[in-house]
């Protein structure tokens, strides 16, 4: 557990607060309305998604690789809806059986994982054949000018954002990992730095489903 990891867990919600109020909270609600059955959320962080899960969710597992985040989730556990199971686990090595979940949720997570291909392979493994991945992710910009700034500022942002890769092409990674990506919503993360403003949101299913 690093000192900055502990600090980052404390500043995460205040740093995101403006963006949440400026539209991200609404987007979470709209995307997560599609969650159903047994749900796994990777990179659950401080639990910002939890209030947006609806009655179609029968069980909720919250996984995060960072002990400070897990401690925060465990501290809230008894007060959260659905009485979620909290697990200390990176997306690259999920400690769950094959075909265990109907829905996997990833919001602002695939930018941060160390190995995006391994993470997506694990998501496919734990998803049931007819399951779905719901995602909201900030991505590499379509604009060559903004993408250039993402490349130039990648390293300082990665250090500040605790491993966040602002220039990662997550849409392409999903397709390469064997997901069939449905209609993708192009959104903007308002009130946040421009290099993390481009968002994609939607659902993806295993291509063999």
């Amino acid at each position: 557990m690093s000192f900055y990891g502990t600090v980052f867990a404390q500043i995460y919600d205040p740093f995101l607060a403006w963006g949440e109020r400026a539209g991200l909270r609404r987007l979470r609600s709209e995307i997560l309305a599609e969650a159903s059955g047994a749900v796994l959320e990777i990179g659950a962080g401080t639990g910002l998604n939890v209030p947006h899960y609806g009655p179609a969710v029968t069980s909720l597992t919250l996984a995060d690789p960072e002990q400070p985040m897990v401690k925060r989730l465990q501290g809230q556990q008894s007060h959260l809806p659905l009485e979620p199971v909290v697990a200390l686990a990176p997306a690259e090595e999920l400690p769950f059986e094959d075909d265990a979940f109907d829905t996997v949720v990833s919001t602002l997570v695939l930018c941060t994982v160390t190995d995006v291909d391994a993470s997506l392979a694990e998501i496919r493994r734990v998803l049931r054949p007819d399951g779905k991945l719901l995602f909201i992710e900030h991505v590499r910009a379509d604009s060559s000018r903004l993408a250039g700034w993402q490349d130039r500022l990648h390293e300082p942002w990665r250090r500040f954002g605790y491993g966040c890769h602002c220039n990662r092409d997550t849409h392409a990674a999903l397709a390469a990992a064997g997901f069939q990506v449905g209609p993708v919503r192009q959104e903007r993360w308002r009130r946040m730095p421009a290099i993390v403003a481009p968002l994609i949101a939607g659902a993806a299913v295993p291509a063999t489903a």
Side-chain angles (χ1 to χ4, degrees):
M1 183 190 312
S2 71
F3 172 74
Y4 188 54
T6 302
V7 171
F8 190 75
Q10 296 301 317
I11 68 172
Y12 187 79
D13 286 358
F15 181 72
L16 264 59
W18 274 17
E20 292 292 316
R21 291 194 294 268
L24 188 58
R25 185 181 298 138
R26 169 192 54 78
L27 184 59
R28 290 182 195 271
S29 183
E30 291 170 359
I31 295 299
L32 298 182
E34 300 299 318
S36 61
V39 175
L40 166 66
E41 182 179 339
I42 62 168
T46 60
L48 289 173
N49 281 334
V50 173
H52 302 290
Y53 290 116
V57 176
T58 57
S59 68
L60 178 61
T61 301
L62 304 175
D64 198 278
E66 294 294 326
Q67 185 65 52
M69 294 294 195
V70 168
K71 286 182 68 175
R72 288 197 61 179
L73 288 170
Q74 289 172 334
Q76 305 173 57
Q77 201 169 10
S78 61
H79 304 292
L80 292 175
L82 300 169
E83 299 182 1
V85 173
V86 177
L88 177 65
E92 295 90 343
E93 297 180 53
L94 296 172
F96 310 112
E97 296 182 359
D98 296 357
D99 306 332
F101 297 97
D102 300 293
T103 308
V104 174
V105 172
S106 173
T107 61
L108 310 177
V109 174
L110 295 174
C111 58
T112 306
V113 296
T114 303
D115 187 332
V116 68
D117 295 330
S119 299
L120 290 171
E122 279 289 270
I123 290 170
R124 282 202 67 181
R125 180 184 66 78
V126 302
L127 264 178
R128 291 176 181 145
D130 59 348
K132 58 183 174 289
L133 167 65
L134 301 177
F135 60 88
I136 303 170
E137 299 288 346
H138 70 78
V139 294
R140 185 172 184 83
D142 292 332
S143 160
S144 58
R145 183 172 180 273
L146 181 52
W149 278 108
Q150 288 176 320
D151 292 338
R152 284 188 286 273
L153 296 175
H154 170 262
E155 185 56 24
W157 179 262
R158 186 188 67 80
R159 293 176 181 275
F160 170 76
Y162 204 57
C164 175
H165 299 268
C166 61
N167 58 355
R168 184 168 278 173
D169 189 349
T170 298
H171 194 178
L174 285 165
F179 281 94
Q180 180 180 333
V181 183
V184 172
R185 294 175 55 170
Q186 304 282 345
E187 301 280 346
R188 292 196 64 77
W189 196 0
R190 295 180 177 85
R191 301 286 184 91
M192 296 296 286
I195 59 171
V196 293
L199 294 173
I200 59 170
V205 298
T208 55

